[in-house]
Amino acid sequence: MKYLFTLICIIFVGCHTKTQYIELDQSKEYTTTGLDYHDIANAAEQSVKSLLSSGYAKRLDSSKPKVLVISDVLNDTMQMINTEQLTRKITRDLRNSGKFILTLALSSNGSSKDPMIDISREARDNAEFNQYTTIEQGELIAPELSLSGRIVQKNARVSSSEQRIDYYFLLTLVDLKSGLVLWDDEVNIIKLGSNKSVAW
């Protein structure tokens, strides 16, 4: 019994590691072959810059922002990626430009629909609510534009000890009325790492 207790103590102490904070500007030193915060932020920043510098965006009137909805953003990698982290950063920067505004009344897998939009409308027929304060029918604003995308990963062995990992961030902006593509872009992130590391 004493031996078992000693063994458990050794395992616990051996598995215990010190956790510490890392400043954001220093965290690049600890990059991995997988996609991390810096990769997502970089892809979002480049995509926003590309869209805002496009001929389409330059012609937009800031006093009449276009209503944007997030469509599918497919994760075609070997990793668990929350695609909303990418789309929220993109749409946040687009909203700050004054030329776009985001709706959460509709969404696909690239974003989260706000459930309270539908729930609040259930008060319309509830006698417990002052009906003068409920939301009337026909108040939701339909989206004009749809942003969709795909994140792709390709691995290739470059030597007996190293592998190259290519990531492609593909984004497309579509006019929902005409179905025409107004803008599309591709951001590439390429990493070189050990064959022993797995980009999960």
Side-chain angles (χ1 to χ4, degrees):
M1 187 69 179
K2 184 177 179 182
Y3 171 76
L4 180 61
F5 177 75
T6 304
L7 181 62
I8 291 172
C9 289
I10 291 171
I11 292 172
F12 177 76
V13 172
C15 293
H16 180 71
T17 57
K18 182 180 178 183
T19 301
Q20 59 184 353
Y21 286 104
I22 301 172
E23 293 297 327
L24 190 59
D25 59 348
Q26 298 173 350
S27 60
K28 283 188 177 181
E29 298 177 22
Y30 303 95
T31 189
T32 66
T33 54
L35 289 173
D36 59 24
Y37 165 83
H38 295 286
D39 300 321
I40 300 293
N42 180 36
E45 182 180 348
Q46 289 190 51
S47 297
V48 169
K49 183 183 291 186
S50 171
L51 175 52
L52 293 180
S53 64
S54 69
Y56 170 74
K58 286 181 177 180
R59 291 190 297 270
L60 293 179
D61 185 349
S62 296
S63 66
K64 298 177 181 178
K66 292 288 188 178
V67 181
L68 177 69
V69 68
I70 304 300
S71 182
D72 287 339
V73 178
L74 303 178
N75 175 18
D76 193 10
T77 74
M78 294 181 283
Q79 302 164 61
M80 294 292 292
I81 299 172
N82 183 348
T83 56
E84 192 167 354
Q85 182 185 1
L86 172 69
T87 58
R88 281 303 183 98
K89 174 148 183 56
I90 289 173
T91 53
R92 186 181 307 123
D93 292 344
L94 291 179
R95 287 197 323 273
N96 288 338
S97 75
K99 296 189 175 184
F100 300 90
I101 190 166
L102 178 67
T103 177
L104 291 183
L106 298 170
S107 74
S108 193
N109 78 350
S111 183
S112 299
K113 178 180 175 181
D114 188 337
M116 194 51 64
I117 294 174
D118 290 335
I119 293 171
S120 65
R121 280 151 176 77
E122 295 174 6
R124 205 178 280 147
D125 301 316
N126 189 330
E128 296 298 322
F129 289 91
N130 180 336
Q131 292 302 298
Y132 289 105
T133 66
T134 60
I135 301 168
E136 297 179 357
Q137 289 184 335
E139 292 297 316
L140 289 177
I141 306 298
E144 302 166 90
L145 307 174
S146 172
L147 182 69
S148 62
R150 181 185 293 268
I151 306 172
V152 180
Q153 174 182 343
K154 300 290 184 183
N155 290 36
R157 184 182 294 252
V158 295
S159 71
S160 59
S161 61
E162 290 183 314
Q163 64 174 323
R164 169 177 160 163
I165 307 98
D166 295 350
Y167 296 101
Y168 309 88
F169 291 78
L170 312 172
L171 291 170
T172 306
L173 186 70
V174 170
D175 183 319
L176 288 173
K177 183 176 181 179
S178 66
L180 297 177
V181 173
L182 302 172
W183 165 88
D184 73 315
D185 190 49
E186 177 179 325
V187 174
N188 301 310
I189 293 176
I190 301 171
K191 296 187 175 186
L192 189 66
S194 168
N195 279 331
K196 296 179 180 179
S197 54
V198 181
W200 296 111

mmCIF file of all heavy atoms in Angstrom, residues 33-49:
data_model
loop_
_atom_site.group_PDB
_atom_site.id
_atom_site.type_symbol
_atom_site.label_atom_id
_atom_site.label_comp_id
_atom_site.label_asym_id
_atom_site.label_seq_id
_atom_site.Cartn_x
_atom_site.Cartn_y
_atom_site.Cartn_z
ATOM 1 N N THR A 33 3.109 23.184 -36.372
ATOM 2 C CA THR A 33 2.762 22.915 -37.764
ATOM 3 C C THR A 33 1.266 23.116 -38.009
ATOM 4 O O THR A 33 0.836 23.244 -39.150
ATOM 5 C CB THR A 33 3.150 21.475 -38.157
ATOM 6 O OG1 THR A 33 2.550 20.564 -37.223
ATOM 7 C CG2 THR A 33 4.653 21.305 -38.168
ATOM 8 N N GLY A 34 0.490 23.138 -36.942
ATOM 9 C CA GLY A 34 -0.952 23.364 -37.079
ATOM 10 C C GLY A 34 -1.268 24.842 -37.203
ATOM 11 O O GLY A 34 -0.396 25.709 -37.105
ATOM 12 N N LEU A 35 -2.540 25.149 -37.446
ATOM 13 C CA LEU A 35 -2.988 26.538 -37.519
ATOM 14 C C LEU A 35 -3.175 27.081 -36.117
ATOM 15 O O LEU A 35 -3.806 26.454 -35.272
ATOM 16 C CB LEU A 35 -4.317 26.620 -38.297
ATOM 17 C CG LEU A 35 -4.222 26.362 -39.795
ATOM 18 C CD1 LEU A 35 -5.610 26.292 -40.403
ATOM 19 C CD2 LEU A 35 -3.396 27.448 -40.484
ATOM 20 N N ASP A 36 -2.630 28.281 -35.856
ATOM 21 C CA ASP A 36 -2.767 28.889 -34.545
ATOM 22 C C ASP A 36 -3.380 30.279 -34.675
ATOM 23 O O ASP A 36 -3.817 30.686 -35.759
ATOM 24 C CB ASP A 36 -1.409 28.952 -33.815
ATOM 25 C CG ASP A 36 -0.358 29.753 -34.595
ATOM 26 O OD1 ASP A 36 -0.727 30.609 -35.427
ATOM 27 O OD2 ASP A 36 0.844 29.538 -34.358
ATOM 28 N N TYR A 37 -3.411 30.999 -33.552
ATOM 29 C CA TYR A 37 -4.020 32.330 -33.520
ATOM 30 C C TYR A 37 -3.423 33.246 -34.585
ATOM 31 O O TYR A 37 -4.150 33.949 -35.291
ATOM 32 C CB TYR A 37 -3.827 32.948 -32.128
ATOM 33 C CG TYR A 37 -4.103 34.435 -32.120
ATOM 34 C CD1 TYR A 37 -5.397 34.915 -32.007
ATOM 35 C CD2 TYR A 37 -3.060 35.363 -32.262
ATOM 36 C CE1 TYR A 37 -5.660 36.287 -32.030
ATOM 37 C CE2 TYR A 37 -3.312 36.724 -32.286
ATOM 38 C CZ TYR A 37 -4.618 37.181 -32.164
ATOM 39 O OH TYR A 37 -4.871 38.519 -32.200
ATOM 40 N N HIS A 38 -2.103 33.243 -34.706
ATOM 41 C CA HIS A 38 -1.431 34.147 -35.641
ATOM 42 C C HIS A 38 -1.818 33.834 -37.090
ATOM 43 O O HIS A 38 -1.974 34.743 -37.906
ATOM 44 C CB HIS A 38 0.083 34.064 -35.470
ATOM 45 C CG HIS A 38 0.551 34.543 -34.128
ATOM 46 N ND1 HIS A 38 0.581 35.878 -33.792
ATOM 47 C CD2 HIS A 38 0.975 33.865 -33.034
ATOM 48 C CE1 HIS A 38 1.020 36.008 -32.548
ATOM 49 N NE2 HIS A 38 1.264 34.806 -32.067
ATOM 50 N N ASP A 39 -1.972 32.549 -37.399
ATOM 51 C CA ASP A 39 -2.345 32.163 -38.760
ATOM 52 C C ASP A 39 -3.760 32.653 -39.093
ATOM 53 O O ASP A 39 -3.994 33.189 -40.181
ATOM 54 C CB ASP A 39 -2.279 30.642 -38.918
ATOM 55 C CG ASP A 39 -0.886 30.095 -38.651
ATOM 56 O OD1 ASP A 39 0.087 30.752 -39.061
ATOM 57 O OD2 ASP A 39 -0.781 29.031 -38.031
ATOM 58 N N ILE A 40 -4.689 32.458 -38.168
ATOM 59 C CA ILE A 40 -6.072 32.902 -38.374
ATOM 60 C C ILE A 40 -6.118 34.421 -38.514
ATOM 61 O O ILE A 40 -6.765 34.967 -39.413
ATOM 62 C CB ILE A 40 -6.970 32.448 -37.214
ATOM 63 C CG1 ILE A 40 -6.977 30.916 -37.086
ATOM 64 C CG2 ILE A 40 -8.382 32.987 -37.388
ATOM 65 C CD1 ILE A 40 -7.630 30.184 -38.215
ATOM 66 N N ALA A 41 -5.415 35.124 -37.616
ATOM 67 C CA ALA A 41 -5.410 36.591 -37.645
ATOM 68 C C ALA A 41 -4.778 37.102 -38.937
ATOM 69 O O ALA A 41 -5.267 38.064 -39.542
ATOM 70 C CB ALA A 41 -4.661 37.129 -36.429
ATOM 71 N N ASN A 42 -3.702 36.459 -39.367
ATOM 72 C CA ASN A 42 -3.021 36.862 -40.594
ATOM 73 C C ASN A 42 -3.907 36.651 -41.819
ATOM 74 O O ASN A 42 -4.010 37.532 -42.694
ATOM 75 C CB ASN A 42 -1.724 36.070 -40.746
ATOM 76 C CG ASN A 42 -0.945 36.429 -41.994
ATOM 77 O OD1 ASN A 42 -0.906 37.577 -42.409
ATOM 78 N ND2 ASN A 42 -0.330 35.423 -42.600
ATOM 79 N N ALA A 43 -4.573 35.500 -41.888
ATOM 80 C CA ALA A 43 -5.456 35.215 -43.019
ATOM 81 C C ALA A 43 -6.618 36.204 -43.056
ATOM 82 O O ALA A 43 -6.994 36.698 -44.124
ATOM 83 C CB ALA A 43 -5.981 33.785 -42.928
ATOM 84 N N ALA A 44 -7.185 36.504 -41.893
ATOM 85 C CA ALA A 44 -8.300 37.460 -41.823
ATOM 86 C C ALA A 44 -7.848 38.849 -42.251
ATOM 87 O O ALA A 44 -8.526 39.524 -43.038
ATOM 88 C CB ALA A 44 -8.868 37.497 -40.402
ATOM 89 N N GLU A 45 -6.698 39.277 -41.757
ATOM 90 C CA GLU A 45 -6.194 40.617 -42.076
ATOM 91 C C GLU A 45 -5.924 40.769 -43.573
ATOM 92 O O GLU A 45 -6.304 41.784 -44.182
ATOM 93 C CB GLU A 45 -4.918 40.880 -41.280
ATOM 94 C CG GLU A 45 -4.325 42.260 -41.499
ATOM 95 C CD GLU A 45 -3.056 42.485 -40.691
ATOM 96 O OE1 GLU A 45 -2.751 41.668 -39.799
ATOM 97 O OE2 GLU A 45 -2.361 43.481 -40.969
ATOM 98 N N GLN A 46 -5.283 39.769 -44.173
ATOM 99 C CA GLN A 46 -4.992 39.838 -45.605
ATOM 100 C C GLN A 46 -6.271 39.815 -46.444
ATOM 101 O O GLN A 46 -6.379 40.517 -47.454
ATOM 102 C CB GLN A 46 -4.082 38.683 -46.013
ATOM 103 C CG GLN A 46 -2.658 38.806 -45.502
ATOM 104 C CD GLN A 46 -1.750 37.768 -46.141
ATOM 105 O OE1 GLN A 46 -1.709 37.627 -47.358
ATOM 106 N NE2 GLN A 46 -1.022 37.035 -45.309
ATOM 107 N N SER A 47 -7.251 39.013 -46.012
ATOM 108 C CA SER A 47 -8.511 38.922 -46.744
ATOM 109 C C SER A 47 -9.271 40.236 -46.701
ATOM 110 O O SER A 47 -9.807 40.695 -47.719
ATOM 111 C CB SER A 47 -9.380 37.794 -46.174
ATOM 112 O OG SER A 47 -8.747 36.545 -46.323
ATOM 113 N N VAL A 48 -9.330 40.851 -45.526
ATOM 114 C CA VAL A 48 -10.017 42.135 -45.384
ATOM 115 C C VAL A 48 -9.337 43.203 -46.229
ATOM 116 O O VAL A 48 -9.997 43.984 -46.927
ATOM 117 C CB VAL A 48 -10.070 42.565 -43.906
ATOM 118 C CG1 VAL A 48 -10.528 44.011 -43.768
ATOM 119 C CG2 VAL A 48 -11.004 41.645 -43.122
ATOM 120 N N LYS A 49 -8.017 43.219 -46.189
ATOM 121 C CA LYS A 49 -7.269 44.204 -46.980
ATOM 122 C C LYS A 49 -7.555 44.018 -48.469
ATOM 123 O O LYS A 49 -7.755 44.986 -49.200
ATOM 124 C CB LYS A 49 -5.769 44.055 -46.703
ATOM 125 C CG LYS A 49 -4.911 45.085 -47.431
ATOM 126 C CD LYS A 49 -3.428 44.846 -47.183
ATOM 127 C CE LYS A 49 -3.034 45.142 -45.773
ATOM 128 N NZ LYS A 49 -1.553 45.050 -45.567
#
